[in-house]
Amino acid sequence: MATITRLQKSRRMSQIVQHGSTIHLAGQIADDCAQAIDGQSQEVFCKIDTLLAQIGLTKSAIVFAEIWLSDLADFAGFNSAWEAWVDPESPPGRATCQVGLARAGARIEILVTASAES
């Protein structure tokens, strides 16, 4: 049976959950929600990079990303930021949709599933 490891836990959730070789990151949003989509995207990418680094991984380990935008008008701007950040040799599967986000001013939230196997 695979072990489940939870890191950066609070009463509500864990920022990182590893089950065997599969890693799930909690949804990441920008702290500074006054920024435009490119700034919020960069902040979220930085958070993802930091969380993955804590378990010895990089963005090339991402197998799937769920991208939630509060407004699909930000889709092109997000894609530009994403393409500058994503590992071009290891692009993950991805889905993007428009949703109402819980934090006022948040334009984007990203959930990541990664693999500790190469």
Side-chain angles (χ1 to χ4, degrees):
M1 187 191 276
T3 301
I4 299 174
T5 304
R6 293 170 172 81
L7 302 172
Q8 291 195 25
K9 298 183 284 189
S10 71
R11 232 181 133 142
R12 182 177 299 162
M13 64 183 194
S14 299
Q15 289 295 318
I16 302 168
V17 177
Q18 183 169 358
H19 179 247
S21 64
T22 302
I23 293 94
H24 301 276
L25 300 186
Q28 301 300 308
I29 62 171
D31 292 324
D32 180 1
C33 292
Q35 299 179 84
I37 189 62
D38 56 336
Q40 287 193 34
S41 297
Q42 292 301 323
E43 190 175 334
V44 169
F45 298 152
C46 183
K47 286 181 169 188
I48 291 169
D49 287 336
T50 299
L51 289 169
L52 289 172
Q54 286 183 12
I55 53 174
L57 298 175
T58 67
K59 60 189 165 194
S60 64
I62 298 171
V63 295
F64 198 83
E66 295 177 48
I67 297 135
W68 298 346
L69 298 174
S70 63
D71 187 341
L72 283 179
D74 286 332
F75 189 65
F78 170 75
N79 277 335
S80 179
W82 173 268
E83 290 166 4
W85 173 76
V86 75
D87 178 354
E89 299 300 316
S90 303
R94 186 185 116 162
T96 306
C97 60
Q98 180 175 327
V99 299
L101 297 174
R103 182 177 288 171
R107 304 186 75 77
I108 184 167
E109 183 169 351
I110 301 178
L111 286 80
V112 164
T113 303
S115 177
E117 294 180 5
S118 53

